[in-house]
Amino acid sequence: MPDLRTNKPHAIIVMGVSGCGKSSVGEKLAEALHLAFVEGDALHPAANVEKMSKGIALTDEDRMPWLDRIGDDIKASLEKGEGIIVSCSALKRIYRDRLRAAAGGNLFFVYLEGSKALLTQRMGERKGHFMPVSLLESQLATLEVPTGEQGVVTVDIDDTVQGIAATALEGLATLGVTG
């Protein structure tokens, strides 16, 4: 396994299904690592947001322009010598590989995993989010868990946001990602 440590700026994607805490954890990681945070949902084309808000699951075709936009943002940040953290579901390996290619390989993932019961509870508690609880099932069915993929830290979400972020930071540090 090649050494992932680098002195280059870091790009980190906080990934997982809806309701796992990508945005909250991403913001905490960005604060701790002194990096910019980008809310990946804000980069969805309007048509995607409209579909999801109606409870219609996105297809691979729907997701590709969104993934490309995230990849472009990551690449632009790294080319400027700046690190970045982005929240993005990145449910399938082909999506993650597409993002890795855009980033030029200097990309790490924090995979937030939790039970369906906990995810459902958290989604039900959210206010003002376009993603209905009904789409959790399709996201779980689409999810290809990144076990064994290079540059991935897996963190259980059955903790506070601070606890999840601290565990993620510990895992990232073992990969050579430091603040």
Side-chain angles (χ1 to χ4, degrees), residues 12-16 20-27 36-44 66-67 70 74 84-90 99 109-110 112 129:
I12 300 167
I13 290 182
V14 181
M15 64 161 287
C20 69
K22 294 182 293 291
S23 300
S24 300
V25 173
E27 288 171 352
F37 173 72
V38 174
E39 170 58 63
D41 282 343
L43 302 178
H44 268 295
W66 172 62
L67 292 167
I70 290 171
I74 290 170
I84 187 170
I85 297 179
V86 183
S87 60
C88 173
S89 53
L99 292 163
F109 290 86
V110 173
L112 303 179
H129 196 280

Side-chain angles (χ1 to χ4, degrees), residues 7-145:
N7 290 326
K8 296 185 211 170
H10 305 295
I12 300 167
I13 290 182
V14 181
M15 64 161 287
V17 297
S18 190
C20 69
K22 294 182 293 291
S23 300
S24 300
V25 173
E27 288 171 352
K28 288 283 181 208
L29 292 176
E31 185 180 307
L33 295 171
H34 309 288
L35 297 175
F37 173 72
V38 174
E39 170 58 63
D41 282 343
L43 302 178
H44 268 295
N48 285 7
V49 174
E50 186 177 340
K51 274 182 97 167
M52 289 184 285
S53 63
K54 291 179 179 176
I56 301 168
L58 297 180
T59 64
D60 286 353
E61 189 176 89
D62 294 326
R63 287 188 179 102
M64 291 309 166
W66 172 62
L67 292 167
D68 290 343
R69 183 158 178 209
I70 290 171
D72 289 346
D73 280 13
I74 290 170
K75 183 177 183 182
S77 183
L78 293 176
E79 285 177 348
K80 289 189 290 187
E82 298 170 2
I84 187 170
I85 297 179
V86 183
S87 60
C88 173
S89 53
L91 298 175
K92 290 185 178 181
R93 181 159 191 157
I94 60 166
Y95 305 164
R96 295 186 292 275
D97 287 345
R98 190 177 187 109
L99 292 163
R100 285 181 181 106
N106 191 31
L107 179 60
F108 300 88
F109 290 86
V110 173
Y111 167 51
L112 303 179
E113 72 174 352
S115 69
K116 183 178 174 185
L118 182 55
L119 292 162
T120 301
Q121 174 193 334
R122 289 191 178 174
M123 285 183 78
E125 293 169 352
R126 292 197 303 196
K127 303 283 183 255
H129 196 280
F130 62 82
M131 178 75 90
V133 175
S134 61
L135 283 180
L136 178 58
E137 199 67 50
S138 75
Q139 286 215 324
L140 289 169
T142 301
L143 177 65
E144 295 172 2
V145 177

